[in-house]
Amino acid sequence: MGRYVKRLTLGFELLPTELPPPESYLSWLYHQHCRENPSDLTRPPYPFLTFANIGEFTGRTDWTEHRMLEAYGHYGRMIEEQQLMEVTGMDIVSLAASLSRLDNLHSIVIKADYYNEDRSLSDFPRDISVLLEKALLIPYYNRNIRKDQGRRHLRNIIRATAAAVVEVTELVISDSDNIMATRILSLRPQDLQIAVLAFQHVKKFYFKLPDFTANASDEKIFAGGQLAQLIGAMGCLEELTLVSSACNPYVPWEAICGNRRLGSLRVLDLQSFDFQEQEFMEFLVRHNTTLRVVKLFCVEMYSGTFLSLLSRMRENLELVSLELTGVLEDVAGNFLDYSCVAAKALEDYVTKRSQQFPFDSIQRHQRENSEDK
């Protein structure tokens, strides 16, 4: 079976570190049921729940007192098993053993997902199905955000991949449910050292940054250059995709990608990202001998202008493709939403297929926008 597995997807979900009190467990179950059955408007919002009466409040005849006590006991044993695995390090050992049996594994995806939105039991990963079968819960409802949420998964992948000597060429870290938290980047120095071995074959890296704020703890993580060091550990990296959010504050580009040159970088894809013209150009120029494709989606510049940036990209780079999509915004608050025609004209200019800056195409596009308004 192992030789057929080429892509491995791992969820972020972890059980709590200790068994919650019965009232919390019953409350999660109750609201899980209410969300899955929104048409029943007769249920009280916050009833006093016991193992004996939750079946009556939800209309679930199978939720007898015996069944609920049994499920709560299963939940506690699952938490104990997880604790044992984490304390002894067997979570890493078992993962490494599993990876070593996947001879053709090339891609690892670490992701968080919804488990309550129009999903049948057959769609769930096995561990989620077991949780639902034994403890009646799915992670969306019993999720207590742990301080090591995400970070433990990434650390385990780093160590297990290095131990199993797996040649992973693609790494994806995606969080659609905002449970990852910036703490995923709080890696220990030894983890970052091991990452050089674990990710030495990675050619494609996709990372959706977790939502973060301008508070001291988040700033400290980025200021420490954890993300830059993680990216720098990928010595063969060819394609880098970084996805942020419009609500995230500005972070200096050096804290994201460092000031080292990624020797094989060919494709840079930025989505909903902010940067300053000079720092971004310094990164691009540092990679001008290999970088051939740049994709910018809904980016915002905190200094400089897109006119200047595109002109400098033409002058200093040898791009074969430039993709401009979404709304681009500069420091003056100018919003640019290029049509396909205008974006193609700009691409031709930056890639030197055209010799003149396409003022006419851009002006026609801007006039069309103003007429639409």
Side-chain angles (χ1 to χ4, degrees):
M1 178 66 74
R3 67 179 181 274
Y4 299 111
V5 179
K6 296 182 179 181
R7 185 179 181 90
L8 178 66
T9 300
L10 303 172
F12 271 115
E13 279 65 27
L14 289 173
L15 299 179
T17 54
E18 58 185 24
L19 181 64
E23 54 267 26
S24 296
Y25 168 79
L26 293 169
S27 176
W28 294 335
L29 271 184
Y30 180 76
H31 288 95
Q32 172 177 304
H33 175 82
C34 292
R35 187 181 180 99
E36 293 174 347
N37 299 272
S39 59
D40 185 356
L41 303 177
T42 62
R43 293 183 297 267
Y46 300 104
F48 176 75
L49 296 170
T50 66
F51 290 112
N53 70 17
I54 188 172
E56 177 184 350
F57 277 111
T58 59
R60 294 286 303 266
T61 57
D62 57 322
W63 282 9
T64 62
E65 182 176 10
H66 174 75
R67 177 69 182 94
M68 302 313 298
L69 287 169
E70 181 183 47
Y72 185 64
H74 273 302
Y75 191 44
R77 287 190 290 275
M78 293 169 77
I79 292 174
E80 290 178 357
E81 291 173 1
Q82 178 181 268
Q83 283 181 321
L84 179 63
M85 293 284 285
E86 293 177 356
V87 170
T88 60
M90 287 302 296
D91 50 348
I92 300 175
V93 174
S94 61
L95 180 57
S98 298
L99 294 180
S100 65
R101 293 193 293 269
L102 304 179
D103 299 331
N104 291 317
L105 180 65
H106 298 297
S107 176
I108 293 180
V109 179
I110 309 175
K111 65 181 296 186
D113 204 350
Y114 290 100
Y115 289 114
N116 64 310
E117 301 292 340
D118 301 321
R119 302 280 292 276
S120 67
L121 183 60
S122 61
D123 295 329
F124 291 167
R126 183 179 180 277
D127 57 339
I128 305 302
S129 300
V130 170
L131 181 63
L132 183 57
E133 176 186 356
K134 292 186 176 181
L136 305 178
L137 283 167
I138 51 181
Y140 185 87
Y141 300 97
N142 72 332
R143 183 177 293 151
N144 282 349
I145 303 301
R146 290 174 46 163
K147 291 183 178 180
D148 58 352
Q149 191 85 302
R151 179 180 61 186
R152 174 173 289 275
H153 296 78
L154 181 55
R155 186 205 68 178
N156 289 0
I157 282 292
I158 290 173
R159 298 191 175 197
T161 303
V165 197
V166 181
E167 293 190 8
V168 175
T169 58
E170 180 184 24
L171 178 64
V172 177
I173 303 177
S174 177
D175 177 19
S176 63
D177 205 5
N178 291 325
I179 69 166
M180 187 163 54
T182 321
R183 288 181 294 269
I184 189 174
L185 296 171
S186 299
L187 297 170
R188 301 168 183 169
Q190 56 267 39
D191 294 329
L192 291 167
Q193 293 171 2
I194 298 173
V196 176
L197 175 62
F199 299 148
Q200 61 180 311
H201 302 288
V202 170
K203 295 182 178 181
K204 298 175 64 175
F205 180 41
Y206 175 103
F207 184 29
K208 182 184 181 299
L209 275 72
D211 288 346
F212 56 90
T213 63
N215 64 42
S217 61
D218 286 355
E219 288 180 351
K220 181 180 179 180
I221 291 172
F222 281 109
Q226 297 274 22
L227 179 54
Q229 293 179 64
L230 180 63
I231 294 174
M234 304 173 192
C236 294
L237 187 63
E238 296 180 2
E239 299 184 27
L240 174 61
T241 300
L242 297 174
V243 182
S244 188
S245 168
C247 62
N248 286 345
Y250 163 76
V251 174
W253 186 254
E254 185 175 332
I256 301 295
C257 282
N259 52 19
R260 295 171 53 191
R261 180 176 178 273
L262 304 173
S264 304
L265 187 65
R266 295 187 303 104
V267 180
L268 177 65
D269 185 351
L270 298 183
Q271 303 176 26
S272 301
F273 236 87
D274 306 332
F275 54 77
Q276 299 192 42
E277 178 182 337
Q278 182 58 33
E279 62 177 1
F280 186 54
M281 272 307 307
E282 289 176 358
F283 175 84
L284 296 179
V285 171
R286 197 156 59 241
H287 297 85
N288 61 356
T289 58
T290 59
L291 189 62
R292 294 295 176 262
V293 178
V294 173
K295 304 176 184 181
L296 302 178
F297 170 78
C298 289
V299 298
E300 180 178 354
M301 294 180 63
Y302 274 65
S303 70
T305 66
F306 280 101
L307 174 61
S308 172
L309 176 67
L310 296 175
S311 299
R312 294 174 70 183
M313 289 172 69
R314 171 188 169 90
E315 179 182 348
N316 293 281
L317 305 177
E318 298 294 334
L319 297 183
V320 298
S321 177
L322 172 67
E323 296 183 17
L324 301 174
T325 53
V327 178
L328 314 178
E329 182 181 2
D330 64 18
V331 68
N334 298 315
F335 290 89
L336 307 174
D337 189 2
Y338 294 124
S339 67
C340 295
V341 174
K344 182 62 169 64
L346 287 168
E347 178 188 21
D348 288 344
Y349 173 73
V350 173
T351 57
K352 303 177 184 176
R353 290 192 287 266
S354 173
Q355 299 306 311
Q356 295 185 347
F357 193 88
F359 286 109
D360 290 343
S361 295
I362 295 175
Q363 289 173 353
R364 283 198 301 271
H365 171 73
Q366 289 174 334
R367 281 199 297 270
E368 290 167 2
N369 273 353
S370 61
E371 289 172 1
D372 292 340
K373 295 177 183 178

